[in-house]
Amino acid sequence: MADEKLSFGINDSQLEYANSVLQECIDNCTECSRMCLQLIPYCLDMGGEHASSEHIGTLQVCSIMCEACAKLMTLESEFHHDLCRLCAQICITCAIDCERLADDNPLMIDCAEICRKAAESCERMSAH
Amino acid sequence: MADEKLSFGINDSQLEYANSVLQECIDNCTECSRMCLQLIPYCLDMGGEHASSEHIGTLQVCSIMCEACAKLMTLESEFHHDLCRLCAQICITCAIDCERLADDNPLMIDCAEICRKAAESCERMSAH
Amino acid sequence: MADEKLSFGINDSQLEYANSVLQECIDNCTECSRMCLQLIPYCLDMGGEHASSEHIGTLQVCSIMCEACAKLMTLESEFHHDLCRLCAQICITCAIDCERLADDNPLMIDCAEICRKAAESCERMSAH
Amino acid sequence: MADEKLSFGINDSQLEYANSVLQECIDNCTECSRMCLQLIPYCLDMGGEHASSEHIGTLQVCSIMCEACAKLMTLESEFHHDLCRLCAQICITCAIDCERLADDNPLMIDCAEICRKAAESCERMSAH
């Protein structure tokens, strides 16, 4: 089924590559969604700017959007391109916010990196 | 379809009543899920214990569970009874936590009331 | 808090109006998300084209997107404009698909109308 | 933070083990949620009993519950034990349904195995 939907005008190895890019993006968005959710109680315990409504809100929105994006890709919706484009922007915003507050904290740095990886995947998928 | 699934051994007015109880519980869970989500940035801006990982976590969990519970009822899953029972406990926990921190704040009191309403609906549904 | 975020350069009655438009859009998206989810088992029981992966997929995607959109608005994320724009397109697509298959079926017509209402709200919010 | 929450009366290696069991269960529930969602369009394209409202509904409910369960574990909610117990039942139900319809189809067999793996993890977590 996946094959059929993606196969117009491309050969088998191109198709396999397209599918692997899709699966990787689903993985990256899923990981990003979980990481942002996991960071929320951690940031609340840190307090200060980490516990601000702005930072926590950014983590929540990134988690919600990555989850929705992973679902649309799993369902192979034609709308995943546009959602991936928007999701990439949100992931970048979240990465920048985590980097701003990271101060060598390994979990914050981890989260920023996972956000950037998801953003790159999403940008690539938005063009597919 | 809903009719068929719920109709064994009960008459039309009983069926209508059962459906209205179901719809009301879906409404109450949906409202509770949204209210808890909406309260998170508000509590973060209040700071102190309102912004603690315990209180915010309770709001998040209540929101997630009410959402899942509303979906299982919408799909008329046989498992909604057990999930409603658990959801009622979570809503009560969230209501108590909001009341503890309310201190006459109308939004906190609102949230506690909505949680209690969802809990009552869920308890009733768990027996259906 | 909501007041503060939305208040730059607008007066109280404009603010009240903006908030009511936001709340209405959250309501409409929430209703649309639930209606699409509820229609899935109904369409599966009808069989034929109603039970095709295309139609069911459209209902699933509309439900997922309306849910994500309602959450971003509830959290007052700056990204809700762009997500509302995309959500409007998805709701219209779903409305057209329901109308195509409706054939005087009241539930299908209901769903199409709820999708169109959500689409209109989302279009309005995308400009705010 | 995770350490603190789980550390009462247990030593470091026990704690490490508890955390690895938790992470594995989150992974298994996340994989199960995605697999069930992915199988829906595939089963719809197969038609017949695979496309029945009962089977599709079971896949939907399993996907929703595994998702909620993974989130509660990620947030380290005290309620994850009870939700894991219920989630295990739902995953088993879904596994049995997939096996019943599998007929050597590798994707159906895959899904059943992933459901059973998630069920085992959830059962273990429900006792922790």
Side-chain angles (χ1 to χ4, degrees):
Chain A
M1 187 206 57
D3 293 11
E4 200 186 298
K5 285 194 185 163
L6 293 167
S7 65
F8 306 116
I10 59 173
N11 63 32
D12 274 8
S13 69
Q14 284 172 317
L15 179 60
E16 212 169 288
Y17 177 70
N19 270 331
S20 73
V21 171
L22 178 73
Q23 291 306 320
E24 201 188 320
C25 193
I26 296 175
D27 285 339
N28 291 343
C29 284
T30 303
E31 192 189 9
C32 188
S33 180
R34 186 203 298 183
M35 185 69 212
C36 288
L37 190 62
Q38 199 176 348
L39 205 63
I40 292 173
Y42 183 83
C43 284
L44 293 172
D45 286 340
M46 292 184 82
E49 226 181 322
H50 291 84
S52 66
S53 60
E54 288 76 18
H55 181 57
I56 300 296
T58 301
L59 290 169
Q60 286 178 293
V61 166
C62 192
S63 183
I64 291 165
M65 282 298 287
C66 281
E67 182 190 309
C69 205
K71 285 181 184 170
L72 256 68
M73 285 187 282
T74 300
L75 292 169
E76 297 188 24
S77 162
E78 56 181 323
F79 290 105
H80 80 252
H81 307 284
D82 291 323
L83 190 57
C84 281
R85 191 168 299 115
L86 179 53
C87 193
Q89 291 174 35
I90 290 173
C91 290
I92 289 290
T93 304
C94 192
I96 291 170
D97 210 40
C98 288
E99 285 156 4
R100 181 178 63 85
L101 298 169
D103 200 20
D104 291 335
N105 181 306
L107 259 185
M108 299 292 288
I109 292 168
D110 254 23
C111 189
E113 280 171 6
I114 289 168
C115 288
R116 288 201 177 275
K117 203 167 65 168
E120 274 167 44
S121 276
C122 282
E123 252 161 58
R124 213 196 293 189
M125 282 309 297
S126 73
H128 267 277
Chain B
M1 184 207 58
D3 293 11
E4 199 186 298
K5 284 193 185 164
L6 294 166
S7 66
F8 306 116
I10 59 172
N11 63 33
D12 274 8
S13 69
Q14 284 173 316
L15 179 61
E16 213 170 287
Y17 176 71
N19 269 330
S20 75
V21 170
L22 177 74
Q23 291 306 321
E24 201 188 318
C25 193
I26 297 175
D27 285 339
N28 291 342
C29 285
T30 303
E31 193 190 7
C32 188
S33 179
R34 187 204 295 183
M35 185 69 212
C36 288
L37 189 64
Q38 200 176 348
L39 205 63
I40 292 173
Y42 184 83
C43 284
L44 293 173
D45 286 340
M46 292 183 82
E49 226 181 321
H50 291 84
S52 66
S53 60
E54 288 76 18
H55 181 57
I56 299 297
T58 300
L59 291 169
Q60 285 177 294
V61 166
C62 192
S63 183
I64 291 164
M65 282 299 287
C66 282
E67 182 190 309
C69 205
K71 284 181 185 171
L72 255 68
M73 287 187 280
T74 300
L75 292 169
E76 297 189 24
S77 163
E78 55 180 325
F79 290 106
H80 80 252
H81 307 284
D82 291 323
L83 189 58
C84 280
R85 191 168 300 117
L86 179 54
C87 193
Q89 292 173 34
I90 290 173
C91 289
I92 290 290
T93 304
C94 191
I96 291 170
D97 210 40
C98 287
E99 284 156 4
R100 182 177 63 85
L101 298 170
D103 201 21
D104 291 336
N105 181 307
L107 257 185
M108 299 292 288
I109 292 167
D110 255 23
C111 189
E113 280 171 6
I114 288 168
C115 288
R116 290 203 175 274
K117 205 167 64 168
E120 275 167 43
S121 277
C122 281
E123 254 161 56
R124 212 195 293 189
M125 282 309 296
S126 73
H128 268 277
Chain C
M1 185 206 58
D3 293 10
E4 198 186 301
K5 284 192 187 166
L6 294 165
S7 65
F8 307 116
I10 60 174
N11 63 32
D12 275 7
S13 69
Q14 284 172 316
L15 179 61
E16 211 169 289
Y17 177 71
N19 269 330
S20 74
V21 170
L22 177 74
Q23 291 305 320
E24 202 188 320
C25 193
I26 296 174
D27 285 339
N28 291 342
C29 284
T30 302
E31 193 189 8
C32 189
S33 180
R34 187 204 295 184
M35 185 68 212
C36 288
L37 189 63
Q38 200 176 349
L39 204 63
I40 292 172
Y42 184 83
C43 284
L44 292 172
D45 285 341
M46 292 184 82
E49 226 181 322
H50 291 84
S52 66
S53 60
E54 287 76 18
H55 182 56
I56 300 296
T58 301
L59 290 169
Q60 285 178 294
V61 166
C62 192
S63 183
I64 291 164
M65 281 299 287
C66 281
E67 182 190 309
C69 204
K71 284 181 186 171
L72 256 68
M73 285 187 282
T74 300
L75 292 170
E76 296 187 25
S77 162
E78 57 181 323
F79 290 105
H80 80 252
H81 306 284
D82 290 323
L83 189 58
C84 281
R85 191 169 299 116
L86 179 54
C87 193
Q89 291 174 34
I90 290 172
C91 290
I92 289 290
T93 304
C94 191
I96 291 170
D97 210 41
C98 288
E99 284 156 5
R100 182 178 63 85
L101 298 169
D103 201 21
D104 290 336
N105 182 305
L107 258 185
M108 299 292 289
I109 292 168
D110 255 25
C111 188
E113 280 171 6
I114 288 169
C115 289
R116 288 202 177 276
K117 204 168 65 169
E120 274 167 44
S121 276
C122 282
E123 252 161 58
R124 213 195 292 189
M125 282 309 297
S126 73
H128 268 278
Chain D
M1 184 206 59
D3 293 10
E4 199 185 299
K5 284 192 185 165
L6 294 166
S7 65
F8 305 115
I10 58 173
N11 63 32
D12 273 8
S13 69
Q14 285 172 317
L15 179 61
E16 210 169 289
Y17 177 70
N19 270 331
S20 74
V21 171
L22 177 74
Q23 290 306 319
E24 200 188 321
C25 193
I26 297 174
D27 284 339
N28 291 342
C29 284
T30 303
E31 192 189 9
C32 188
S33 179
R34 186 204 295 184
M35 185 68 211
C36 288
L37 188 64
Q38 199 177 349
L39 205 63
I40 292 173
Y42 184 83
C43 285
L44 293 172
D45 285 340
M46 292 182 83
E49 227 182 319
H50 291 83
S52 66
S53 59
E54 288 76 17
H55 181 56
I56 301 295
T58 300
L59 290 169
Q60 285 178 294
V61 166
C62 192
S63 182
I64 292 165
M65 281 299 287
C66 281
E67 182 190 309
C69 205
K71 284 181 185 170
L72 256 68
M73 286 186 283
T74 301
L75 292 170
E76 296 187 25
S77 163
E78 56 180 325
F79 290 105
H80 81 253
H81 306 284
D82 291 322
L83 190 58
C84 280
R85 191 169 299 117
L86 180 53
C87 194
Q89 291 173 35
I90 290 172
C91 289
I92 289 290
T93 305
C94 192
I96 291 170
D97 210 41
C98 287
E99 284 156 6
R100 182 178 62 86
L101 298 169
D103 201 21
D104 292 336
N105 181 307
L107 258 185
M108 299 293 287
I109 292 168
D110 254 25
C111 188
E113 280 171 6
I114 288 168
C115 288
R116 289 201 177 276
K117 204 168 66 169
E120 275 166 44
S121 276
C122 282
E123 253 161 57
R124 212 194 293 189
M125 282 308 297
S126 73
H128 268 277

